[in-house]
Amino acid sequence: TGTYVPATDDAVANGTALVNAVNAADANTTLMLGAGTYELSQTLTITKNLTILGNGSVVTGDVNFLSSIRALR
């Protein structure tokens, strides 16, 4: 199980949703990204263990991984 992050046609709104999901997630959570583009307007720093799954999803912008993370497509 995990947290689903839906995508819309608005890449910036998707990026905001991704940031909010990362911030709200407990360590060792799986985030499942909906197909779409997730544009980050600022650097996203991840400091906890997360698994990020995406099927046809693209993240644009800076992501700083300070812990173990698995980003899978």
Side-chain angles (χ1 to χ4, degrees), residues 23 26 31 56 66:
N23 290 337
D26 292 327
L31 299 179
L66 298 180

Side-chain angles (χ1 to χ4, degrees), residues 13-50:
N14 295 343
T16 299
L18 174 58
V19 169
N20 291 340
V22 167
N23 290 337
D26 292 327
N28 303 310
T29 294
T30 298
L31 299 179
M32 298 168 289
L33 304 182
T37 299
Y38 296 76
E39 184 177 325
L40 302 173
S41 58
Q42 61 187 22
T43 300
L44 172 58
T45 300
I46 299 174
T47 59
K48 52 193 156 192
N49 296 333
L50 296 175

